[in-house]
Amino acid sequence: MMINKPLVLTYLYLLIYIVLSSGVILYNKWVLSPKYFNFPFPITLTMIHMGFSGAVAFFLVRVLKVASPVKMTIEIYSTCVIPISAFFASSLWFGNTAYLHISVAFIQMLKALMPVATFLMAVICGTDKLRCDVFLNMLLVSVGVVISSYGEIHFNVIGTVYQVTGIFAEALRLVLTQVLLQKKGLTLNPITSLYYIAPCSFVFLFVPWYFLEKPQMEISQIQFNFWIFFSNALCALALNFSIFLVIGRTGAVTIRVAGVLKDWILIALSTVIFPESTITGLNIIGYAIALCGVVMYNYLKVKDVRAAQLSSESLPERIVKDWKLEKKSSDIFVPDSSNDNNIRGSGGGNSPASDLNVAEATPLLPSARLSHIGRSQLTIHTA
């Protein structure tokens, strides 16, 4: 039995993504929570992430030359990078602050609102149209989140407002990334995204830090453990790169299913690691309803992407592609096809299936939009 190495690598990258994504969230909660490491300064933690990621990205781009910087002008920087960085910094700030007030499990349930926020922002910005089927899905998600919130034992208004605000800031960042960067024809991979956006986000975060957290840090007994913060920032950076690997090897359906699986694992793990995180039956019912809406939304979006790809192909290209698939299929069933069939050997039977799999694995987003600079939908992640 031959091992399919590409398939094994794909599942390995998915596993790494799920472990790192869950690990960063739980690690952030542990660091920020007053009951554990007791470092209740979310802006400071986010600035550490941004500073570290920016420094590593600078080293990779300028010293090791792993990635090449794009042609960046003052006009592009001021109209694209700065607004995107501002909303990115805001989403991380609000999202990390929510850990001080509500549980990881409830935060993950609230994150089911992400498609709702993204759809609303896209409609407002004119990149998507208001459709009845999508609207009904969004309504289902919203009802599920409301039920889940009603069942939350330790419901906290401040924490909920912070988290929902962070979700809408991240949704607006995603839409702006699509509108601004794609119009300029820029393509950014996770390294170049960090190279441009992380330093700018650091500067934006400095302003609220100076007024909100700096005075508190001066009068409080701060625990600063270098290895804790270094490992935390390293995990956040590794998460960004793992997303790049996952997107390169999987398609829209796979990555979205992995995201749903990660959320369930995270909810279960958080109740074990943080015993104060109590989950009620109403929590689960509400989240399940919301997930049904999310799954349907994902299905509709993937179907739209495939339809757009098919319509973008010219008729001659489609005829040629179909002819090649038919030829490969017929080659499998011709036993005496001379040397060409012998060269293929046992691998020949897999050709049509692999072509179909490539068509099935529609890319979720261009790499420019997936720099989990945040969430990551997949974007730069630090929370």
Side-chain angles (χ1 to χ4, degrees):
M1 180 181 175
M2 292 184 66
I3 298 174
N4 190 330
K5 288 184 180 179
L7 187 63
V8 171
L9 273 178
T10 298
Y11 283 114
L12 178 62
Y13 290 156
L14 281 170
L15 179 63
I16 291 171
Y17 160 70
I18 291 172
V19 169
L20 284 173
S21 184
S22 304
V24 168
I25 290 171
L26 294 171
Y27 204 168
N28 284 355
K29 173 68 175 179
W30 182 82
V31 169
L32 292 167
S33 177
K35 293 184 179 179
Y36 298 96
F37 187 71
N38 191 25
F39 186 80
F41 303 108
I43 303 175
T44 307
L45 183 66
T46 308
M47 287 177 70
I48 291 171
H49 289 177
M50 290 297 95
F52 181 76
S53 298
V56 171
F58 181 86
F59 183 76
L60 292 174
V61 171
R62 292 298 180 183
V63 179
L64 297 183
K65 311 288 186 183
V66 173
S68 301
V70 300
K71 293 181 179 179
M72 185 65 65
T73 63
I74 295 176
E75 188 262 338
I76 292 176
Y77 194 86
S78 59
T79 59
C80 297
V81 175
I82 289 178
I84 289 170
S85 300
F87 284 105
F88 177 48
S90 300
S91 69
L92 297 180
W93 168 19
F94 296 135
N96 280 337
T97 304
Y99 290 121
L100 297 175
H101 305 281
I102 53 181
S103 67
V104 171
F106 186 48
I107 284 174
Q108 293 309 118
M109 293 176 190
L110 288 175
K111 283 181 180 177
L113 283 172
M114 190 67 203
V116 179
T118 306
F119 176 66
L120 289 176
M121 292 299 105
V123 171
I124 291 170
C125 294
T127 61
D128 207 342
K129 294 179 180 179
L130 191 61
R131 290 162 44 187
C132 184
D133 53 353
V134 177
F135 178 76
L136 290 175
N137 281 327
M138 299 301 95
L139 195 62
L140 185 63
V141 172
S142 302
V143 169
V145 171
V146 168
I147 293 173
S148 183
S149 301
Y150 185 77
E152 176 65 15
I153 293 176
H154 305 292
F155 183 80
N156 183 286
V157 175
I158 296 173
T160 304
V161 169
Y162 268 118
Q163 183 58 43
V164 172
T165 305
I167 288 170
F168 275 89
E170 172 67 3
L172 191 52
R173 183 193 72 82
L174 287 172
V175 174
L176 283 177
T177 301
Q178 182 183 15
V179 172
L180 299 177
L181 290 184
Q182 288 185 0
K183 277 187 177 178
K184 303 292 182 182
L186 292 179
T187 53
L188 301 176
N189 60 42
I191 297 174
T192 51
S193 293
L194 287 169
Y195 177 74
Y196 290 110
I197 293 174
C200 192
S201 297
F202 182 92
V203 173
F204 272 108
L205 289 167
F206 180 83
V207 178
W209 173 82
Y210 185 84
F211 291 104
L212 298 177
E213 291 189 0
K214 183 176 178 289
Q216 295 181 32
M217 295 177 74
E218 289 174 346
I219 60 173
S220 62
Q221 298 292 326
I222 301 172
Q223 254 190 113
F224 191 89
N225 185 312
F226 171 79
W227 294 109
I228 291 290
F229 290 104
F230 175 75
S231 59
N232 184 257
L234 193 63
C235 288
L237 182 68
L239 174 59
N240 287 300
F241 293 144
S242 74
I243 288 166
F244 178 69
L245 293 174
V246 168
I247 293 304
R249 301 192 67 91
T250 63
V253 177
T254 308
I255 194 66
R256 289 171 187 263
V257 170
V260 172
L261 177 64
K262 180 213 68 174
D263 288 341
W264 280 109
I265 291 172
L266 195 50
I267 289 171
L269 273 178
S270 67
T271 58
V272 175
I273 298 172
F274 306 111
E276 69 275 9
S277 300
T278 308
I279 298 178
T280 66
L282 210 52
N283 279 145
I284 298 298
I285 292 171
Y287 188 53
I289 292 171
L291 274 187
C292 288
V294 170
V295 169
M296 286 303 298
Y297 172 79
N298 289 340
Y299 170 74
L300 289 173
K301 297 307 289 184
V302 170
K303 195 167 74 169
D304 289 346
V305 170
R306 288 179 185 160
Q309 286 185 337
L310 285 174
S311 63
S312 66
E313 289 181 0
S314 64
L315 185 60
E317 285 175 338
R318 254 183 277 175
I319 292 171
V320 170
K321 185 183 288 186
D322 291 343
W323 177 79
K324 285 181 178 178
L325 281 174
E326 288 173 11
K327 187 176 186 302
K328 286 180 183 176
S329 300
S330 63
D331 284 347
I332 299 169
F333 300 104
V334 179
D336 52 352
S337 263
S338 71
N339 293 335
D340 183 55
N341 201 34
N342 292 330
I343 291 171
R344 242 181 276 223
S346 60
N350 294 326
S351 296
S354 63
D355 281 351
L356 289 171
N357 286 336
V358 170
E360 182 73 10
T362 310
L364 172 60
L365 291 168
S367 60
R369 295 184 59 195
L370 284 170
S371 52
H372 216 193
I373 285 180
R375 177 170 33 172
S376 148
Q377 269 10 42
L378 293 173
T379 258
I380 301 167
H381 266 254
T382 62

